[in-house]
Amino acid sequence: MRLEDFDYLLPEERIAQLPCEPRDASRLLVLDRGRDELEHKQFFNLPEYLRPGDTLVFNDTRVIPARLIGHKEQTGAKIEVFLLNRLTATDWEVLVKPGKKARPGTVIVFSEALRCEILDGTDFGGRVIRFQFDGVFEEILDQLGETPLPPYIKEQLTDKERYQTVYARERGSAAAPTAGLHFTQGLLEHLRQQGINLAFVTLHVGLGTFRPVQVEDITQHNMHKEYYTITPEAAELINATKQAGNRVIAVGTTSVRTLETAAVGGQVKSGSGWTSIFIYPGCQFQVVDAIITNFHLPKSTLLMLISAFAGREKVLAAYREAVARQYRFFSFGDAMLII
């Protein structure tokens, strides 16, 4: 499989710059793998495709203000630090820009209350840093940090909560699990009343999700690790759903990766850890029966995951249809249900 096999043409005007209002008014392209059919709906039509006993699995991670702007203590030069993975109470894996002169021992000052020292490099070109702070770190970060939006979004977001899901709880992501942005509290309550189970797992989205593939042979791509947690309660609900012959429907590729990482013999094992799972065509799914997802970037690992689930040709044909019908793409774009 070559990287070019996962390319498609997307006019720039199809990239959504602002979220849809209300959240569940976005469009929904339904791909039925068995019947090889496409349907065009709105996201609030989702309950029509779900059955009592099905379980939706959401990623409840919350995006942190991960971009910090500071200056080098030694020279005063401006420097940007982008938080990726928290390693300890003080230590993080980060990206630093400009990075060439960000060597171990460099001290970066963000305010009187926050500074950090570069400890080491990483295998992906980032750095390991140690923060020193006066006060509560999360409160300082909320004051000084900026919520990062993907580089293809040029518009300013007036309401920062629109880049959070309505069920976001666990702080730690550098990017939102965007398939979940379409859900409203009203829609969630409607699903509960319909007899649909709601399970929540956590995967803190880091570099692994949006790092570009830079090798022609995609099997040689290495994913960056991301931290996940599955509670015993969530694992029990998901496993009971499978045992009853009902469907587990993953909301977003991060939920897919979390479930398939924790799958042992078709059962989900509770616990926490780091995952660098890379799902591409040929991989076998143990847990996930259907996926709710957004439209993904050409040549991305996310498009490869969806292609593994539904078939590359079917996915690319659906994307061509979505472009022709002027669907909105990427983080703030429309959604897709694959059943």
Side-chain angles (χ1 to χ4, degrees), residues 102-140:
R103 301 186 179 95
T106 300
V107 174
I108 302 170
V109 179
F110 305 103
S111 73
E112 291 184 2
L114 184 66
R115 61 175 54 208
C116 74
E117 180 182 352
I118 296 176
L119 303 181
D120 202 357
T122 69
D123 58 2
F124 58 86
R127 302 291 187 274
V128 176
I129 64 169
R130 176 164 294 159
F131 280 111
Q132 301 167 359
F133 47 90
D134 183 14
V136 179
F137 178 76
E138 286 75 14
E139 293 178 357
I140 297 170

Side-chain angles (χ1 to χ4, degrees), residues 130-167:
R130 176 164 294 159
F131 280 111
Q132 301 167 359
F133 47 90
D134 183 14
V136 179
F137 178 76
E138 286 75 14
E139 293 178 357
I140 297 170
L141 187 62
D142 284 341
Q143 293 170 1
L144 298 178
E146 300 175 12
T147 300
L149 290 176
Y152 49 76
I153 294 178
K154 311 301 182 186
E155 295 283 342
Q156 290 292 322
L157 192 61
T158 54
D159 179 8
K160 291 183 179 180
E161 284 301 303
R162 281 304 274 109
Y163 194 57
Q164 305 278 9
T165 62
V166 296
Y167 47 81

